[in-house]
Amino acid sequence: MSERETVFITGASRGIGAETARLFAERGYAVGINYCRSRDRAEALAEELRGLGAQVGLYPGDVSDRAQVDGMMQAFLRDFGRIDVLVCNAGLARQELFTDITAQSWREMLGVNLDGVFHCCQGALPDMLHRKQGRIITLSSMWGQVGASCEVAYSAAKAGVIGLTKALAKELGPSGITVNCVAPGVIETEMNGQLSQETRDALAEETPLERMGTPRDVAEAIWFLASPAGRFFTGQVLAPNGGFII
Ligand code: NDP
């Protein structure tokens, strides 16, 4: 059993997930890093965090695949003994006209962005329920709140994440487990890597705080919900978006 508190973060090989892993490691947590394709990036991050003195484990797996999620959760519990915080961060965005979305693309978007949250929450819950404590933080998006043109599948999945979060918070409150959602605005990660400079400038201009967000902006919101200060929050949507939607 880990002496330290533990966090398991999905999609932590890069972007917001990697920065969240850094923040929790800096603040004394033992960190489980899940990744899917970016093995080299995940291994480099693990090395970096071990250099800070953190306990780190690597857990490859596709969150849309139930058996893989069960395997990685079991491996994490074998390594660290308990799961205090689950961050369901893994996500996939794709821009396509609604009329062009194939059944396969729809399934993939819902599979990673929504089924992945379902799988990971069910995987972590037996341990949390047994200990009657735990914090679950899901990642939605402002597009899950207001919808984005040419991102119907993504918006639907992220709206589903908000619904899942609110319903699960009600169900798990009496068991001492909080479930909250972070819904970021436009954040500087590879997910937005294809945006032109012109679009980036326009997005910054449309944002009351006049910039795109950083992965650290989002990691701090996740940290708050996991920290003692967040103890009376459950079923909430916290939106680090610079005021883009209010
Ligand atoms: P990135 O594209 O930078 O990183 C995505 C991460 O998710 C990677 O670590 C990737 O792992 C992982 N991932 C993708 N598919 C799977 C899968 N099937 N199983 C496990 N892991 C997977 O995204 P961001 O860091 O920008 O986004 C993180 C979260 O925040 C997502 O849920 C996203 O929807 C949400 N978000 C992001 C916003 C933004 O503007 N960036 C805005 C609003 C919400 P690997 O590379 O190893 O495959």
Side-chain angles (χ1 to χ4, degrees):
M1 175 80 77
S2 173
E3 296 287 301
R4 308 181 185 198
E5 288 196 274
T6 68
V7 60
F8 187 89
I9 306 167
T10 66
S13 49
R14 37 197 188 88
I16 291 166
E19 194 60 18
T20 303
R22 251 180 222 110
L23 192 77
F24 277 77
E26 285 165 13
R27 297 179 183 175
Y29 271 69
V31 181
I33 294 173
N34 156 254
Y35 66 92
C36 188
R37 288 170 210 83
S38 305
R39 181 175 162 189
D40 292 352
R41 308 270 296 267
E43 285 177 350
L45 177 66
E47 270 314 293
E48 178 193 327
L49 302 189
R50 288 188 187 114
L52 301 173
Q55 291 174 351
V56 186
L58 282 171
Y59 305 92
D62 178 342
V63 294
S64 69
D65 183 317
R66 181 53 183 255
Q68 291 186 40
V69 171
D70 287 349
M72 68 198 193
M73 287 293 177
Q74 280 160 17
F76 181 78
L77 284 168
R78 258 198 319 274
D79 292 346
F80 293 103
R82 64 177 206 263
I83 176 160
D84 294 303
V85 181
L86 170 68
V87 182
C88 298
N89 165 80
L92 183 65
R94 182 174 296 153
Q95 298 200 330
E96 44 194 351
L97 279 176
F98 181 68
T99 44
D100 289 345
I101 299 175
T102 61
Q104 188 189 348
S105 178
W106 177 266
R107 192 77 297 287
E108 194 183 352
M109 294 301 287
L110 273 287
V112 176
N113 291 307
L114 184 56
D115 297 7
V117 179
F118 165 62
H119 295 152
C120 292
C121 290
Q122 279 202 337
L125 271 175
D127 174 66
M128 290 183 175
L129 286 169
H130 177 68
R131 294 184 304 105
K132 283 197 167 298
Q133 66 180 63
R135 301 283 175 96
I136 295 174
I137 294 127
T138 60
L139 267 287
S140 178
S141 161
M142 66 177 172
W143 302 135
Q145 297 176 289
V146 299
S149 168
C150 296
E151 293 195 67
V152 172
Y154 182 76
S155 301
K158 291 299 190 179
V161 169
I162 293 175
L164 182 157
T165 302
K166 291 183 176 184
L168 192 57
K170 289 183 179 172
E171 192 168 320
L172 295 179
S175 300
I177 299 163
T178 68
V179 191
N180 288 289
C181 179
V182 172
V186 190
I187 309 299
E188 292 272 14
T189 69
E190 286 162 42
M191 193 171 267
N192 292 313
Q194 84 293 352
L195 298 180
S196 66
Q197 192 54 48
E198 201 183 356
T199 307
R200 305 170 96 78
D201 293 345
L203 286 167
E205 205 170 304
E206 237 182 289
T207 306
L209 291 180
E210 297 185 321
R211 64 172 176 85
M212 288 172 67
T214 64
R216 182 73 37 157
D217 292 328
V218 182
E220 290 283 9
I222 294 168
W223 171 263
F224 167 72
L225 292 169
S227 72
R231 63 189 165 269
F232 203 52
F233 285 74
T234 199
Q236 303 303 309
V237 180
L238 190 59
N241 65 25
F244 196 100
I245 62 154
I246 290 176

